[in-house]
Amino acid sequence: NYIVLGTLHHPEVLKVPLSLSELLTVGISSVQRPQGSYLLHTLQSLFQVSSEAELKSIVVLVHLSDPDPEWLSQTVANISDLFNLHIEARKLLVVHGLLDNSPLKNINQYSSCEELYFRQKVDYALLMNFASNLSDYFLLMDDHVQYTFYFVSAIYWALSAWKEFPWVILEFSSLRFSGKVFHSRDLSHLASFFLLFPRNTSASMLLSRFHLLLAQNVPIHLSPSMFHHMGNYSELEDTCFPVEKDKVFGEPDNPTAIVVTDMMSILNIVPLYAYVLNEEPYTTLDPEKGNHLTVILDRPQKIIRIVVLTGIEENGMYRLQKGRVLLGYDIMEHSKRCVRYFLLGPLVRGNLDQRVFYDEDSMEKLSCIRLEVSESQQWLVIRQIKVWTDPEDEES
């Protein structure tokens, strides 16, 4: 069985066996740019930072979306020369497709953001249609991105941790488009979503709303960023797609709080050790499913990032094997506990590092941060809980 999606205009039509199924498809859409292409550098970065074991779980899909036949031929030749081994191993697939009745110009000929927005939405829609049957998950990437070591492993472990929880998009970068992971089953819906709106509706705006359609209320942004922008845009692209830079947080500023737990404390080790910004961890014996350690803030705060570290730093022993972090609202003064809790995220290999987002126009602030044990184990070391507050909230 083979799939041929879209209208293919390359002399060698790519045929993808339907039986091919990997964990993750890395999808890259590439166009010709006046200042030159960064696609080859992007692919070199991807393959250089990926181990042989990691490559076994991914397939890289490159969609060449420019209509210029000379550029297409030269780009295909360059990719074949540099990455022939990956092509032969079917770890790198290259396709070219155009949407019926939507002729696309060379990107150098565009003069408005509206034209670029439409072009990008069509490119992404075609890329996602090509990718829909290749793997369980899809990573959206652009063709001018630097990859970091172990990005495949980081995504693998995050997907494993999130498997029991509902999600639509997991974000592994601050970039506007690159670094977003989707369920492949959602790609056809997202492709249709891109083409449903007027030409002047940007892909970034639609991506920021797509998760709401499938009941994910706020973005899920995992830190640190795995991907970073490389190279320069054209002047028009700079205007239409301003580069998102990684947010600089500085040092954590844990606000004043009390810390309570229903776990067994050892000797004179108190729960507050887990929250005070020093080297002393909180150690407990035989935590059971449902046990918790909860930080109760002295007053509600606009928290923007939370880090939870468990286990011994050198070797990871005694980390929380299965746990999650919940965010609490509406403090009950007489009992010093929160009425409502919502999931921030599960721990990934014993740790969590996530941005905290709020519903649009929400004035709510956090009162509790709850680390909950999801599976009983023996020893547990909670090394550190770090919190960053919103500086603007402090000023107000």
Side-chain angles (χ1 to χ4, degrees), residues 6-156:
T7 306
L8 296 176
H9 293 275
H10 193 271
E12 296 180 6
V13 174
L14 174 71
K15 296 181 177 180
V16 183
L18 285 175
S19 60
L20 177 64
S21 181
E22 309 288 355
L23 172 75
L24 182 72
T25 297
V26 181
I28 303 171
S29 186
S30 186
V31 296
Q32 180 181 190
R33 289 189 169 85
Q35 73 279 16
S37 173
Y38 297 99
L39 174 61
L40 298 180
H41 296 294
T42 294
L43 290 173
Q44 284 176 328
S45 173
L46 189 162
F47 288 117
Q48 284 172 358
V49 303
S50 304
S51 67
E52 288 187 22
E54 288 176 322
L55 287 176
K56 288 180 181 178
S57 63
I58 70 170
V59 59
V60 181
L61 175 68
V62 177
H63 173 223
L64 303 178
S65 63
D66 200 280
D68 182 356
E70 184 178 342
W71 179 82
L72 285 170
S73 298
Q74 187 59 56
T75 303
V76 169
N78 292 339
I79 292 174
S80 299
D81 289 342
L82 286 172
F83 306 105
N84 188 54
L85 290 178
H86 298 298
I87 293 172
E88 289 183 351
R90 301 195 69 77
K91 291 287 123 181
L92 175 58
L93 311 175
V94 181
V95 296
H96 171 60
L98 299 177
L99 192 66
D100 288 337
N101 302 319
S102 294
L104 297 178
K105 299 182 292 186
N106 183 294
I107 198 169
N108 305 338
Q109 299 172 314
Y110 290 129
S111 58
S112 70
C113 287
E114 177 180 317
E115 291 178 301
L116 277 183
Y117 291 159
F118 179 68
R119 168 64 180 271
Q120 187 180 53
K121 288 186 292 185
V122 169
D123 291 349
Y124 283 160
L126 287 169
L127 174 67
M128 291 172 181
N129 270 308
F130 281 119
S132 59
N133 289 323
L134 294 179
S135 61
D136 296 326
Y137 303 100
F138 174 80
L139 170 63
L140 178 63
M141 298 298 294
D142 280 323
D143 62 351
H144 40 75
V145 175
Q146 187 80 34
Y147 294 69
T148 60
F149 280 96
Y150 310 118
F151 82 91
V152 176
S153 296
I155 292 174
Y156 169 81

Side-chain angles (χ1 to χ4, degrees), residues 223-237:
S223 299
S225 291
M226 294 283 104
F227 313 101
H228 305 279
H229 178 81
M230 72 160 71
N232 298 307
Y233 281 145
S234 66
E235 186 175 339
L236 179 60
E237 286 180 293

Side-chain angles (χ1 to χ4, degrees), residues 23 54 150-163 170 172 222 319 346-349:
L23 172 75
E54 288 176 322
Y150 310 118
F151 82 91
V152 176
S153 296
I155 292 174
Y156 169 81
W157 290 113
L159 289 172
S160 298
W162 277 91
K163 199 165 188 178
L170 298 181
F172 293 86
L222 290 77
R319 68 189 178 201
L347 270 65
V348 179
R349 304 193 77 193

Side-chain angles (χ1 to χ4, degrees), residues 13 43 111 128 140 177 192 197 275 290 313 333 355 389:
V13 174
L43 290 173
S111 58
M128 291 172 181
L140 178 63
F177 305 106
S192 299
F197 289 83
Y275 185 70
E313 187 172 6
E333 288 298 333
R355 298 272 298 274
T389 57

Side-chain angles (χ1 to χ4, degrees), residues 237-300:
E237 286 180 293
D238 273 334
T239 302
C240 304
F241 309 125
V243 175
E244 294 270 341
K245 295 184 178 180
D246 289 334
K247 183 175 178 63
V248 178
F249 286 94
E251 294 298 316
D253 58 343
N254 292 21
T256 308
I258 62 172
V259 181
V260 299
T261 185
D262 59 356
M263 292 184 277
M264 182 190 303
S265 298
I266 298 174
L267 300 176
N268 60 345
I269 299 175
V270 295
L272 190 62
Y273 283 8
Y275 185 70
V276 177
L277 295 172
N278 59 22
E279 299 298 320
E280 294 291 336
Y282 174 69
T283 305
T284 183
L285 180 64
D286 297 333
E288 297 181 351
K289 180 179 179 179
N291 281 161
H292 69 91
L293 182 141
T294 302
V295 176
I296 303 172
L297 303 175
D298 275 6
R299 64 179 180 85

